[in-house]
Structure formats: structure tokens, C-alpha cells
Amino acid sequence: MSNSADNAAARPSWLLRLYTSSPVLFCFCAMAILMTVLWSLGFRLNNDADDLLKLHEIRTLLETGNIFDRTLPGIVQPEPYVSHWPWIVDLPYAAFARLFAPFAGFEPALMLASFAVPLLLLVPALYFYNRLVIAIGFAHPAVAFPLALIFAARAFFEFAPGRIDYHNLQILLLLATLALMMSASRLSAFVNGLLTALAIAVSSEFAPFYVLVMAVYAFDWIFDREGGENRIAGFGLAMALGAIGLFAAIVPPSAYTAVRCDTYSSPHVTALAAAGLSFAVVPLLAGRRGGWLMRTAILLVFAAASAAALVMLFPQCLASPYASLDVYVRDNMINRILQELSLFRRPDVVLTTGFPSMALLFIGALAPAVICARPQGRTRPLVILTLFSLLSLALAVGYVRYYRYLPIFSGIGLVFALASLVPNARLGRYLKSPVPAASHRYALILPGLVLSIAMVLYHLSVRPSEAAVPAAEVADSCYSSPFDPEQGWPSGAIVLSPPLIGSRFVALAEGPKVVTIANHPSAKGIERSYRFLDPATADPRAILDASKATHVAICAWRGPPLPGLEAAYPFAAGLIEGHPPAWLRECPTKASSPLRIYSYRNADGSDAMCPASTLAVQARP
């Protein structure tokens, strides 16, 4: 009787057995509930203006059905705005909305797609992340996986409802690529070639990661690893075929010869096809002859020839995507965006609430490298994880845009660090893996701590310079405030506003046209909105006339006068505080509105009408 009772007590419950067999399902439900609750409470885990532009882009695709024309209506600088995102990044949302539109209506279906599709993309992302954790070799992946996910939550918040930018798709494709790299089969390599082409077609932002993917397949072939010849050939052939096929699907025939460095076009397909064909051909050329030196030389010759051809054919793409922008726009806006800086140039790195989390990310990113430093710890999955973790860390430090992806790799590294610190008799026994830990229990966290301390010392000794804040940035400061832009705009209304406010307006189903939004293809509009509020501009009306704007929208200050603001930016301060010049007329706005709206004049010279749905004129403070 007692034996039966002991066996029953030792036997795990059905719920625990269900979780152990399906940890991805349980973790997905937990994350989906958490993100949905936060969304319903008004918290935006990623308050990115690109989501607003993406909503407008998807709506336009559904309304026109033209996949090749990426000119977006509603953004009139007055030059047309041509999106640099290919239509394939809109496809999941457009397809979902099209499916539900007959039942829910067009706009509700679009809102439902914005809510549901990121969560649906989270399911395969978590599946591949779990496969990566399993491949690393933890004794109990069902314990290691949720811990890694908690540490990496910041990256997976890219799948929150309403987060419809392309970053979640990038993360999903990279996780799928990493999971497939753990397999030695030729089919996995072939699929990875297709995924590489697709990822670069979505955005070249992840090109460094996929260069490393190519390097891993090249390494296997160079050093004659089992199946390496088949894998590099399959990967290269699939990448070349995928690149050409996606080029035909994304680029209209009339633009086959056009060169656009910031979106998928002839430079990208040429680079992918050249690399892919090189990988497919080198095993045939080398055969079984020669050693690793000869194979390395053959690959380097192909790589050098491809690079030289790309430089000669597309020299304009050697610079950054922002190189062609006006210096005024780069200095006043682009170079002031925090994600466009390195960690060495950001003024908010140390002595802030975010620094401890940065130190944890550094620890997690470097922990796998400590394990791989010992020969007995070098398993293929761990070496691959280490390489990608180090690359992600280098990218995040050098260019903060990549910082959002670092937790993906740091999450697993922090599980290793935690396992080395907790006693084996408790949680530690569930986090064991075949990979031997470092001899000293603190060795896994030491490199990350050293890097964090070095970052602190650098910023305390070399304080990053902070340029003067442009007037347009001050006038755009209410972007994060919860507000609905005014409705009922007159026909033909064109609003000149700072870029972030413009992004709010352009996302409306029925709103005014805008001069600019916060995205680099709108550089001409950005320049006009910044110069309009710049104290150095002698005649702001000339900017309104050049942009053909009928209205001005700006963040409002309803409190007492701000002498400092008035002294630094007299014209902008007058608009913010509600003291416009005679040639602008303030429109009525709700008392709770963080905006002030001014009417100017129509193209025919008549006075522009105010939005019809606004309430009584806001009382002067």
C-alpha cells in the first residue's frame, strides 16, 4: 500500500506531463495573455512610429491591390513618397485582413490583423527558439526554455499586438535559420538557402547574421566535415534560386535595372546570386583534391571577384542608406535618433535604470564564449550559438539598432550563467547540459561584468557630446501621449507637422494628407518641417508654400509661459503656447488634446477650413 502511494506521489501530474511535452504551447499562452493585457491597458511595449506607417501601407495595398507600386498616398512632401519596404512584409497582414473583411468589415478586419498576426508569428518563433535550446543540450529543456524566454522577453515583445513592423518577421526567419543549422542534412541547408534569400529580401538589416550563416557552411566544406560538400552546394543553389525568384516577385519588370540601395533591387539579387552560385560551384571545382588551404583560396577568389563586380556595378551602395540625405536632415534628425548611434555615443547608457539590464545582456552574450574557451566544451550547437551571440553583441555595441535582438542570444547564455551559480541540488540539476561549465562558478559572468564596467568608465571619462535640441523635436514631444488626431478634415487638407505627429495622422482611415512622416524616404518633408520651426528660417511661410500645406499641427503646451523655450525658439514657442502669427489661425481643439492645429490657406488662396469635428476653441492659459 505504501509502495503504491509512494509511486503515485513520485509520478508527475497530468498537467506537468502535458507541459513537459508542449512547453512552447504553455509559454505562448503566457506571453500572449501578458502582452494582450498590457495592450488593453494602453501600454505599448514598442512605441515605434513605423507601425503607424505600416498600417497605412497595408491599407493601401488592400485598397489598390497593386503589389508593385509602393507609392503611398497621403504623404505629399509634395514629392511622392515611395516605400522602401517590399510588399512581402505586408502579405501576412493583408491576407489575414482580406480573409476576415467579408465578415467584420474592412477597417475592423485590418485592426484585427494588426492585433492577431504578430501573435500568430510568435508561435513558430517560440517553436524554433525551443528547438535551439534543445540542440544546446540542456538536461531539462522544459525548464531551460521558459527561463531563456524570460531573459529574452524584450526581443519577443516585437511580437506584441499592434507591432506590425518587419522586425518580428526578421526574428522568426533568423530563429528558423539557426534551428536548421543544427541539422547536418542537405535538406536543412537547402531550406536555409531559401530563408537567407527571403530574409535579405525583407531587409538587408540582418545581412551580417546571414554572412555568418554562409561562413558556417563554408567552414564545414573547407575542413571537409561530414556532408559539408552537399550542404554548401545545396545552400548556395537554393540561395541563388530564391534570390532570383524573389526579385521577379517583388520588383516590377520596368525597374529591373533600377538601383535602390535601401530596398531589394538589382544590387541585392546580384550579391545573393553571385554568392549562391559560388557556393554551388566550388565543390565541383575542388572535388576531393587539395586541403583546406586550397579550398579557402578558391572561395576567396570567388568572393573577391564578386565583391569587385558589385563595387563596379553599384558604387553608390557603398555608403549607408542615409548618405544621400541632406546634411541638414542627418544632423538635425537622423543622427539624433538613439537607435542610429553606437553605445559609445549615446548619452543615456550609464547611471540610468536601463544599465543593469544592459549588464545582464552583456553577461549572457559572453557566457557561451567562456564555455567554448575550453576544448571539451566545444559542441557544434554551442559554437554556432557563441558565434552569433558575439556577433550580436558587437553589432549592438556598434549600432544600437541591433540592441533589440541581443536578448535572443543573451537569454540562453544567462541560463548557463544561472546554472553555474545555483546549487546542483536545487534548480541547478534541471539546467545541467552535456557542456561542461567553467571551473570557477563566477567565470561565466566575469567577462560581461568587465565589459559593463569598461562601458561605465568610458562614459564617465569621455562624456558623449549632446547637440542642441532642434525646435521640431520639441514640437514633436507629445508623440507618446495617448491621443486621437482630430477627425473631419476638409477635403484637400495637407498638414505640415513634425514627423512623429505626421505618422499619427497618416495611420487614420480618413484623415488629412501630411507633408512628412518619421521615415528616411520622407527626407524632403522632414527637412521642410524642421526648417519651418527653425529659428534660423527667415520666412516660415515660404516653407508652407513650398510644401503646399493648408494646416499646421504641433504639440501644445497648456500651462504657464515657458521663458526658456520662448528665448530659444520664439516662433515655435508661439505655436506651442497658442500665440500664432497673423497669417495662421488656431482651430478649435478638445480641451484634452495635446495638439494645437492652425489653418493656413488653400492652393487657390482661400482660407483653409478647420477640422469639422473639433469642439470649442481651447481657452488660452
Side-chain angles (χ1 to χ4, degrees), residues 22-33:
S22 306
V24 171
L25 176 62
F26 279 78
C27 290
F28 166 74
C29 292
M31 285 205 69
I33 292 172

Side-chain angles (χ1 to χ4, degrees), residues 42-257:
F43 291 98
R44 295 298 177 260
L45 298 172
N46 293 281
N47 197 23
D48 195 334
D50 284 352
D51 294 323
L52 300 171
L53 177 61
K54 180 62 67 179
L55 182 64
H56 176 59
E57 186 173 274
I58 298 167
R59 182 185 289 119
T60 301
L61 176 63
L62 288 168
E63 289 175 344
T64 65
N66 190 337
I67 62 174
F68 289 132
D69 187 3
R70 304 303 286 168
T71 303
L72 298 184
I75 307 173
V76 287
Q77 307 173 81
E79 296 84 358
Y81 178 95
V82 181
S83 174
H84 64 298
W85 294 322
W87 68 271
I88 56 174
V89 300
D90 301 335
L91 181 59
Y93 305 93
F96 188 98
R98 181 71 72 189
L99 179 64
F100 284 90
F103 309 100
F106 181 83
E107 280 299 321
L110 184 56
M111 295 301 105
L112 182 60
S114 299
F115 176 88
V117 172
L119 292 177
L120 293 176
L121 293 176
L122 178 62
V123 177
L126 293 182
Y127 170 79
F128 289 120
Y129 197 53
N130 185 47
R131 297 304 304 174
L132 186 57
V133 170
I134 292 173
I136 295 300
F138 288 101
H140 296 275
V143 177
F145 171 62
L147 282 175
L149 190 57
I150 291 172
F151 293 136
R154 180 186 299 183
F156 286 96
F157 283 159
E158 294 290 332
F159 296 85
R163 184 60 169 147
I164 59 176
D165 201 356
Y166 61 91
H167 299 305
N168 48 32
L169 187 58
Q170 284 181 306
I171 292 173
L172 170 59
L173 293 174
L174 181 60
L175 288 175
T177 300
L178 288 170
L180 288 170
M181 288 180 69
M182 303 302 169
S183 171
S185 72
R186 183 175 184 176
L187 178 60
S188 296
F190 186 87
V191 174
N192 256 350
L194 297 176
L195 290 179
T196 298
L198 178 59
I200 300 302
V202 167
S203 171
S204 58
E205 182 177 343
F206 269 24
F209 290 115
Y210 287 95
V211 169
L212 183 53
V213 171
M214 298 179 201
V216 171
Y217 285 112
F219 179 90
D220 287 345
W221 174 71
I222 289 172
F223 291 95
D224 201 19
R225 297 297 173 88
E226 183 178 355
E229 180 177 341
N230 291 332
R231 286 197 296 275
I232 192 175
F235 174 84
L237 181 62
M239 185 167 64
L241 292 176
I244 296 170
L246 286 165
F247 184 76
I250 292 173
V251 181
S254 60
Y256 279 173
T257 58

Side-chain angles (χ1 to χ4, degrees), residues 550-552 583-585 587 597-601 608-610:
T550 61
H551 296 77
V552 173
W583 41 271
L584 286 178
R585 177 170 62 94
C587 293
I597 298 173
Y598 299 95
S599 65
Y600 181 51
R601 64 182 176 218
M609 301 295 293
C610 288

Side-chain angles (χ1 to χ4, degrees), residues 270-271 273-275 277-278 282 285 296-314:
T270 302
L277 292 176
S278 298
V282 288
L285 293 179
T296 302
I298 293 173
L299 268 181
L300 288 177
V301 167
F302 274 95
S306 300
L310 289 170
V311 169
M312 289 189 295
L313 291 173
F314 314 110

Side-chain angles (χ1 to χ4, degrees), residues 188-444:
S188 296
F190 186 87
V191 174
N192 256 350
L194 297 176
L195 290 179
T196 298
L198 178 59
I200 300 302
V202 167
S203 171
S204 58
E205 182 177 343
F206 269 24
F209 290 115
Y210 287 95
V211 169
L212 183 53
V213 171
M214 298 179 201
V216 171
Y217 285 112
F219 179 90
D220 287 345
W221 174 71
I222 289 172
F223 291 95
D224 201 19
R225 297 297 173 88
E226 183 178 355
E229 180 177 341
N230 291 332
R231 286 197 296 275
I232 192 175
F235 174 84
L237 181 62
M239 185 167 64
L241 292 176
I244 296 170
L246 286 165
F247 184 76
I250 292 173
V251 181
S254 60
Y256 279 173
T257 58
V259 178
R260 290 192 63 189
C261 305
D262 61 346
T263 191
Y264 195 67
S265 61
S266 51
H268 302 80
V269 68
T270 302
L272 287 173
L277 292 176
S278 298
F279 275 29
V281 168
V282 288
L284 299 177
L285 293 179
R288 307 297 299 181
R289 302 186 306 273
W292 66 270
L293 281 174
M294 176 181 287
R295 296 184 178 201
T296 302
I298 293 173
L299 268 181
L300 288 177
V301 167
F302 274 95
S306 300
L310 289 170
V311 169
M312 289 189 295
L313 291 173
F314 314 110
Q316 62 270 52
C317 294
L318 293 177
S320 75
Y322 305 136
S324 61
L325 301 185
D326 186 86
V327 175
Y328 181 86
V329 175
R330 278 186 280 141
D331 289 345
N332 286 275
M333 184 197 177
I334 300 296
N335 292 342
R336 290 187 53 81
I337 301 175
L338 292 180
Q339 75 167 13
E340 301 301 325
L341 305 177
S342 72
L343 282 179
F344 296 108
R345 293 181 56 202
R346 281 187 62 151
D348 61 340
V349 171
V350 298
L351 304 180
T352 64
T353 56
F355 179 76
S357 65
M358 186 187 76
L360 280 177
L361 291 178
F362 286 173
I363 291 171
L366 292 172
V370 176
I371 298 173
C372 282
R374 302 179 67 192
Q376 59 269 38
R378 294 175 194 160
T379 64
R380 175 184 169 85
L382 186 62
V383 169
I384 291 175
L385 173 68
T386 299
L387 292 174
F388 278 88
S389 185
L390 292 176
L391 174 61
S392 181
L393 176 62
L395 291 173
V397 171
Y399 193 10
V400 178
R401 173 183 290 270
Y402 292 94
Y403 192 80
R404 58 166 64 97
Y405 310 116
L406 182 59
I408 296 173
F409 306 101
S410 295
I412 300 176
L414 284 171
V415 176
F416 281 120
L418 181 62
S420 70
L421 295 175
V422 298
N424 288 336
R426 298 179 182 176
L427 180 62
R429 70 179 185 272
Y430 294 105
L431 299 179
K432 284 185 178 180
S433 72
V435 179
S439 57
H440 196 281
R441 64 185 307 181
Y442 298 108
L444 293 185

